[in-house]
Amino acid sequence: MILEIYKSWVIVLVLHECIHIFLVILFGGKIDRVVIGNFFFIKMKKVAISPIIINCSVSFEERKNWNLFKKSLILLMPAIVNIIMGILIGYDHLFIKVFSIFIGINSILPIPYLETDGYLMFKELQQAFREKKLK
């Protein structure tokens, strides 16, 4: 049971980060680093993997031609996919269903300390409004 919970958590987290990676590459960005887990990392080029996975992250270089729409897709689409997946998955995969909705909602929330996707999107909106105000 505990292994099933942990496996479901890891599947949902890795899927979330894979969507970030896919969209960055799709829009011509460059992946700096992918971190999967928290402690005792095994490092391979740009990827650091740990056997203890509580959270994951992806850092990337954005292109100069990215507008606010592309940035918002990269930051918020994984959370949207998580929520949709949580709604559509059947109850035979209950933990994946619950974790998908949990991670999707928590990713959208603008929590500064955790630097969630929602917080990063909030910072992008602030920057866009500042640039628009200066023009």
Side-chain angles (χ1 to χ4, degrees):
M1 178 76 151
I2 292 175
L3 187 60
E4 182 70 27
I5 292 170
Y6 183 70
K7 180 181 76 171
S8 299
W9 179 258
V10 171
I11 288 170
V12 173
L13 280 177
V14 170
L15 175 68
H16 181 94
E17 299 308 325
C18 284
I19 296 167
H20 282 302
I21 292 168
F22 172 74
L23 290 171
V24 167
I25 292 171
L26 180 69
F27 294 138
K30 186 177 179 184
I31 302 295
D32 287 331
R33 186 167 184 197
V34 178
V35 179
I36 300 172
N38 298 76
F39 309 103
F40 316 113
F41 290 105
I42 300 168
K43 296 179 182 177
M44 299 172 285
K45 294 188 180 186
K46 296 180 180 183
V47 179
I49 300 175
S50 170
I52 302 169
I53 300 173
I54 299 171
N55 65 354
C56 302
S57 65
V58 173
S59 59
F60 57 90
E61 290 180 27
E62 59 186 58
R63 303 276 309 249
K64 299 238 188 271
N65 65 347
W66 283 1
N67 56 17
L68 191 59
F69 178 71
K70 287 182 181 178
K71 291 177 185 178
S72 64
L73 278 178
I74 291 169
L75 291 173
L76 299 178
M77 187 55 74
I80 293 167
V81 169
N82 283 136
I83 293 170
I84 292 170
M85 188 172 82
I87 292 169
L88 296 179
I89 280 189
Y91 285 98
D92 49 337
H93 300 289
L94 180 63
F95 296 121
I96 291 177
K97 183 179 192 66
V98 170
F99 292 147
S100 291
I101 294 171
F102 176 77
I103 289 172
I105 290 171
N106 283 316
S107 292
I108 291 175
L109 295 175
I111 304 171
Y113 177 73
L114 298 176
E115 290 198 14
T116 60
D117 296 337
Y119 177 71
L120 295 175
M121 188 64 222
F122 176 72
K123 302 261 300 181
E124 289 292 336
L125 286 171
Q126 280 183 325
Q127 182 179 349
F129 285 126
R130 279 191 207 119
E131 289 173 1
K132 193 171 188 176
K133 199 174 193 181
L134 293 175
K135 289 183 180 181

